Amino acid sequence: MSGELFTTPTRRFHLTRRGKILQSTTERYLRDDLGYGTVLLPTKTNTTIAGDATELVPRTIENIDMLYNLVDGGSIVIVDTNVLLHHMDVLEYVRSDDGIHNSIAAAVVIPQTALEECRNRSLVMYRRVTDLIRSSSTGKQKRAFVVFADLHHVDTQFIDEGMMNGEDAKINDENDARLRKVAEYYGRAVHNHHRESNPGEDKMEVVFLTDDAASRKLAMEEQPDRTLYYTPRSMREHVTILQKEDPNLNLLDMVAQFNAQTNVSQSIDYFPPHIPSSQLSLGLKTNAYYQGTFRSDRDTYNSGYVTVRGGNEERVAVVIRGDQNVNRAVDGDIVAIELFGVEKWLSSSDGKEETKTKETTGIAADTAEPSVKDMDNVDEELVDECGALRRPTGQIVGIIRRNFHKNYCGSIWSVDVAADDSDKHPNDIIVAKHETEHADGITSTVVFFSIDPRIPPVLLRTTQRERLLGMRILVSMDSWPSDSEFPLGHYVKTLGVAGTKDTETEVLLQEFRIPCEPFPAKVLACLPSADYKIELEPGRTDLRHLPILSIDPPGCKDIDDALHCIELENGNWQVGVHIADVTHYVEAGSAIDLEAANRSTSTYLVNKRLDMLPALLTTDLCSLKGNVDRFAFSVLWEVTPEADIVHVEFKKTVIHSIAALTYQQAQSLIDKPDKDCKNDIQAGAVKRLASLARKFRSRRINAGALTLASPEVKFVLDSESLNPTDVQAYTLYEANAVVEEFMLLANVTVAKKILRHYPTLSILRRHPAPNRSMFDTLIQKAKTQGVPICIDDSKKLADSLDNAGKSFSDPYLDQLLRILSTRCMSPAQYFCSGEYQARDWHHYGLAAPVYTHFTSPIRRYADVCVHRLLAAAIGVAPLPVFLSSKSYLHDLAANMNRRHRAAQLAGRASVQLHTLIFFSGDDQGEGGGVKEEDAYVLDVETSDNTEPSFSVMVPRYGIEGRVRLSHIATDDPCLVRDQESFSLYYKDTKSGNVQASVAVFDKVRVRIWVKKSRDHRVLILDLLEPKVLAKPEVVSSSKSKTKKQKTN
Amino acid sequence: MASLRRTDILSLIHLRSDGRRPNEIRHMTCHLGALPSTNCGSALPTSGCSGSALVSMGLTQVLCVVKGPCDVGRRSEELPDRATLEVIVRTTPFSPPGDRRVANPTTDRRLIEQSHLLQTALSASILLHLYPKSKITVTVMVLADDGGRLEAAINAATLALMDAGIPLKDMVCACSAGRWSAGGVDEIVVDLNRREIQAATGMSGGGGGTSDTIYLPVATMPQRGNVVLAQCESRLSGGAEAFGEVLDVAMKGCQMVMEIMAAAVRERGAGVWKAKEGKADVMLVE
C-alpha cells in the first residue's frame, strides 16, 4: 500500500417510501499518492494478427516535473461540468498539422467532480468524455487529458458542513467551489515551482474554464494574497485568445452559444418562458403536468406528439401543434406538457387529412411507416364525454432533458439574389432576417437547415461563412433561449461538397445513424489468428461427405446458407439447411459480440456494404464458400417425397460445399430435362429441392400466406466510377423461391424448437395484422376497378388479391395492387417471447403462429441470438447469462428493430441518391439523363381548390411521385374532380364532352428529369399523355426532341 | 443500449468508488478485550465473558464475545470427545441501514446461515478436543454493516477466542474478493463494501444482468495456507481458472488482514505483560 489512507464518512439522508428518514453512510478514502492527477498510458499486452493489443494503464503524475514534461511549454486548462456538457467538440478538436497549439491546451485537467456531475446529467456526454480520455492517450497527439480525483485527494478534498439537504442550487455551488479548489491547487503548485526554479522565464499558464460568470467572479475574489494562481475564463474568451495567436485554428466556430442577442435591450420574447424545474417536479407530482418524450411529425418541426401515461396506466399520444405550443422542444426531448381542455381536442377526422400529402418525388416505399401505436404501443385517441373519439392536445410548458447531443447534417442556405420575389423560397426569408455580422469583425451568424425536416433551422456563429457555403456540414445544437426564434448551435465538422455522391452517402449514414467506423482493435483482437484452420472438433458432426451447395445472387460474398437433399435407403429424402456457425467465432459477451449487438445488422447501400462483423468473418471464415471446409449449424429433416416431415434434427456440423451456385445457374439445373441428369448430383439435388419447395409453398399459400410484391429495382453500376449506368428490375427465378421456402421452413422449425425450451426468453419475429383503417382507401380504389378486397384475415386477403390479379387485363396492375397492399401493413418486428401473449406472436404475412430469424447470422444479430438459444436448447452450449435477462432481451429487440429500420431507410435513401444521379445525367451520357416512361396512377387529388395533381408510380425505375398540372388553374371550369371514382376529367369548354381523364390505376406517360436549383436537386415528373392535360411546352419539347433524333 | 452498460466498479483511473485501489482492503481496526472479562455468575451483563474483541473493517463493525469453556448445561448437547461450539450471530436494531429488519433473530435464515458458516470456519482452527464435555459459546453482534459482515465476524471471533485464551491451530482470517467481467475486461477487487457487493450480486439492479460477477468471501488460516471457508452464491461462468484468480486475490487480502490482527494481538500481549509487571491495569488497555 503506497500512500496513507484517511477515511471520512459521508452521510446522506433519504426518505423511505413509508416516510421515514434514513441516513446512509459511505466511506471516502483520502489519498496522498494522487500527485497531479492521472493519465492513461497505453502498454502493449500481446500481439495478434489484427495488430497490437494495447491496454490503457493509469499512471500518476507524481511530481511537478512530470507535469512540466507532460505539458511541454503549453498551458493547463481545468474544465468544469458545463464545459464537458456543452463544449466537447472544442475539446475533441485537434488540428492535423503539428504545431504547439494544435488543440485547446497542452493538458486538460478533468476533475472527478466535473466528471461525475457530467455522468449524472448526461450519459451520452459522459461516454464521449471517457472515450476522449482513452483515445487521446493512444494517438500521437500532443495533448493530455488528466483525470484528477479531487474527492480523494488530501489537498483538495472539501467538505461543506452546510450541505445537508438535497437542494440543487447548493450542490451546484459546492461543486463549483470544489472545482475552483482544484484550479487553485494546480495554480499554486505551478506558482511555487516557478518561484523556486526559474523566476525569469514565463510562467506556465493555468486556466480555469467555466461559462458560469458567478463562478469566475468568485474565483477572482477567492484567490488569496492578491496573487493570481490561475486565470478563470469563459470558453469563448479562451478560444478567442488562442485564435489570435494562431489564425488557422478554426475553433471559434465550435464554441457553443447560449445567448442570442449581444445587446440585451432589444430582446423580444418569441416564446412563453419555460417553467423552472422545481415547479415542474411539483406539477408532475400533482398531475398538473405530464412527462413524456416529444416526437416531431415526420415532415415538420413545429408539430408532433408526446406520449404520456394517463390516469389509469394507459399511454396516450398527445398532439402538440404550432410554434407556441411546441415552445422550443426539439424531437427527442423529454418534456413536461399541460393538457388542453376537451373542447380544444381534435376530432378524429380533422387530424388525418393534413398528414396525407407527401410532396417529394422519390423512390417508392416498401411498407407503411410504423404507426405511433405500433412503435410505442400507445393509444392515439380517447373517448370524450359525448362518446366520440378525440385526440388530446396540449402545450409544452417545460423541458426536463434536452436531446442536444446529436449532430445534424445539412447545409447553410445561400440566398439566391437573382431570384425574383415570386420564386422566393420560405427559407430565403428566414435567412434574410437572421444572417448578421458580429461586432467583433470576424464572426457572423448564419442559418443552417438540416436535411431532417423534424429539426428547426439552427443559428450558427462562424468565422468561415464563405468556406461553408455549398458544403454539407454537421452541426450540434446548444440552447434555445426564449428571445431567439430559432435554436443556437455550433459547427462541428464539414463532410464535403453538397451533391457529390460520396458526401451524400456520408450524409445519409450520419442521418440514419448507421455505425460506419472501422472496427476497434479490441474487436479485431477477438478474431482467430492468421494460421487458423478449420478442423473437426469433438461434439461436431462431420457432414463433409454430403453434396451440399449454396444458391445466392451473383457476386454474393457473405454466403450464410447452404442446402442439400439426398435420397435415403428407406425411400425418404434427407433435406439439410446449413447456416454459417457465427457463434463459434463470436463468443457471447466478448467485445466483438457487443459491437455486433450494437450494430445489429449489416447495411446494404447501392455502392457499399457496411458489415455487422469484421470482414474476415463476413467474407471468409463464416461464409459458406464452395470447396472449403466450414463450420455450420444444420437443421436436418427427413421428409417423404410428398413433403411430409418425418423427423427433425439440429446439429453443429462441419460441411464442405461442392458448389456456390447463382440463382440463374440453379434455375438452369431445375429446367434441365430429367433424362439428362441421371448422374448429375447437383441437378438431382436441386430438382428434389424444387419439387419439395413447390409442395411446401402450396401448403403455405393454402394456410393464408400472402404473396407480396416490392417496387425495388437495382442499379447497374459503372465498374470504376460506381455511377449508375442503368436500372434493372430484379429477375426472380423459381430458384429464388426454392431457397426462400427452405429458409422459411428452417426459421419456423427453429422458432418452435427454441420456444419449447425457452418459452419466455426466445427472440421471435412478429408481424401484426394490419389496421383496418389503413386499408380503407385501397379498398375504395379497388372498387372503382370492380375488384373487391376482403381483409378479414390473411387468407381472405390473399384470395382476393389472386382473384383481382386474374381480372386485370394489364399484368402489372396485379403487382401494383400487391405493392399497395404491402404498404398498408406495418412492418414486422423482433420481440422477446415473454413480453407478448401467445396470440400476438403471430406472423400475419407468412401466416405462421411463430417465426424467427435463424438463417442469416452473418448479417443480422437476431440470428446470432437464436443460434445461441438453439445451441442451449439442444444442449451443446450453456445459455449465456445475459440472454436469460428479460430486460436485456427487451433492449436488444428494441435496438434490433431500430437498427433494422434505419438500415432499410438508409438503403432506400441510397437508391434515391443514385436515382437522382442517374436522371441528372452527370455521368456523361452513360445511359442516364432525361427519360420518358410509362407510369400508373396511384392516387388523384380530388379535394376542391387544390392544384390539380395526381401521384404515379413508374415501374421501370421504381419511382413514385406527384405529377402537377400547374398550368391548369385550380378553379378552371373545365376541370371536374370526382371523389367517388378517384378521377379528374377535363371537359371541352363548348360541347361539354370529356376530352381527357385521369383515374386511379390508369396508365399514363411521363417524363422524368432532375431540376437543379442552387445546391440541391429535385426529381420532377411531367405528364406527356394524355396530351390534353399535359403542359403544352412539355409536349412540344418532346416532339422536337424526337424529330432531332430522327434527323440525326 | 442502456443495459449493455456495466456498473463502473473501477473508475477510469483505476480507483474504486470509495477511493481505494483494487488491491487495498478497507481501514481495519481491532480491539481485543473490548469488554471486561468476568466470572460466571457475576451481576454484570457480560457475565461469563472470557474474551472479547471489537473489529471494524471500514464502516462495518462487529463485536464478539466468547464464553467458556464451561459446563454444557444441557446433557443432550454434550459431546464425549470434544467441546461443543455454539455460534450465535445477532444484529443490532440500528445496524443494517437499508437492509430488512430482522424480525426474529432465532429464526432468521440469513443469521442462522451465517452462524453455521462461522462455526465451520472456527471449528477448523479451535483445538476442541482439549475440552471434552464442555461448551464454548461465541456470540457475534453486528453493530454496523457496510458490507462484509461475515468476514468481520470471523476476524472478531478469532481475536475474541485468542483473548479468551482458547488454543487455536492458527488464526482464522477472512476477507472477500469480487470479480466483474464484461466486454472482455476483468476487474478483480479485494474487500468489497456494501455498494460493490450490491453491484456484484445484482441486488440493486444496477446492471448485474449482462456481466459475470462473483462475490466471494473467503476465510483462511494464512500461516498454514488452508482455506477454511469460501462461499460463492453467483453463477460462475469463467470456469475454475477464473475462480482460482479470485480466490488468490481473496487469500492475499486475508494475509493483509492477518498482519493487522497479529499486530493487535501483540499489542494486547504487551499490555498484559506490562500489567503483570505491575505497570498498568489490564482492563484499561486502549
Side-chain angles (χ1 to χ4, degrees), chain A residues 457-501:
Chain A
V458 180
L459 305 182
L460 305 180
R461 194 166 162 185
T462 177
T463 52
Q464 43 177 355
R465 179 177 179 275
E466 299 308 317
R467 244 185 294 169
L468 296 181
L469 285 179
M471 296 295 217
R472 288 286 189 215
I473 57 174
L474 279 185
V475 159
S476 168
M477 277 192 250
D478 300 319
S479 63
W480 196 341
S482 62
D483 57 356
S484 166
E485 207 177 336
F486 294 113
L488 309 175
H490 66 268
Y491 157 90
V492 177
K493 197 171 134 189
T494 304
L495 293 174
V497 181
T500 59
K501 191 171 55 175

Side-chain angles (χ1 to χ4, degrees), chain A residues 73-88:
Chain A
S75 57
I76 299 181
V77 161
I78 292 129
V79 296
D80 81 341
T81 318
N82 286 322
V83 172
L84 291 181
L85 286 174
H86 304 299
H87 293 295
M88 272 311 287

Side-chain angles (χ1 to χ4, degrees), chain A residues 499-649:
Chain A
T500 59
K501 191 171 55 175
D502 292 340
T503 308
E504 296 297 328
T505 305
E506 179 94 346
V507 167
L508 70 91
L509 290 179
Q510 282 279 350
E511 206 53 42
F512 294 107
R513 304 197 184 280
I514 310 282
C516 52
E517 316 82 43
F519 288 95
K522 210 161 69 177
V523 170
L524 295 177
C526 302
L527 295 175
S529 59
D531 54 348
Y532 172 78
K533 263 217 179 91
I534 289 170
E535 274 159 8
L536 187 62
E537 46 175 33
R540 262 183 205 276
T541 317
D542 192 352
L543 295 182
R544 282 177 287 192
H545 56 280
L546 291 176
I548 292 165
L549 40 84
S550 62
I551 307 174
D552 285 283
C556 181
K557 289 268 166 43
D558 46 347
I559 304 172
D560 32 26
D561 50 80
L563 296 158
H564 86 269
C565 180
I566 52 166
E567 279 174 83
L568 295 174
E569 282 168 9
N570 60 5
N572 285 344
W573 292 349
Q574 187 193 45
V575 178
V577 168
H578 310 274
I579 307 298
D581 192 5
V582 171
T583 49
H584 179 79
Y585 302 100
V586 180
E587 198 190 320
S590 62
I592 193 169
D593 186 45
L594 297 182
E595 180 72 26
N598 180 32
R599 296 191 178 211
S600 271
T601 175
S602 294
T603 307
Y604 294 83
L605 304 183
V606 174
N607 51 345
K608 65 171 163 190
R609 188 186 72 214
L610 295 149
D611 292 331
M612 179 179 85
L613 295 165
L616 179 70
L617 292 184
T618 305
T619 59
D620 190 13
L621 285 179
C622 288
S623 180
L624 304 175
K625 298 189 289 189
N627 296 319
V628 280
D629 289 355
R630 286 286 176 261
F631 288 140
F633 207 150
S634 305
V635 186
L636 303 169
W637 292 274
E638 187 183 334
V639 294
T640 63
E642 272 61 57
D644 291 318
I645 294 168
V646 183
H647 184 62
V648 189
E649 262 186 306

Side-chain angles (χ1 to χ4, degrees), chain B residues 108-122:
Chain B
D108 185 80
R109 290 183 174 226
R110 194 158 275 249
L111 292 182
I112 292 171
E113 185 201 4
Q114 286 191 342
S115 63
H116 278 299
L117 291 170
L118 201 54
Q119 196 193 16
T120 341
L122 294 175

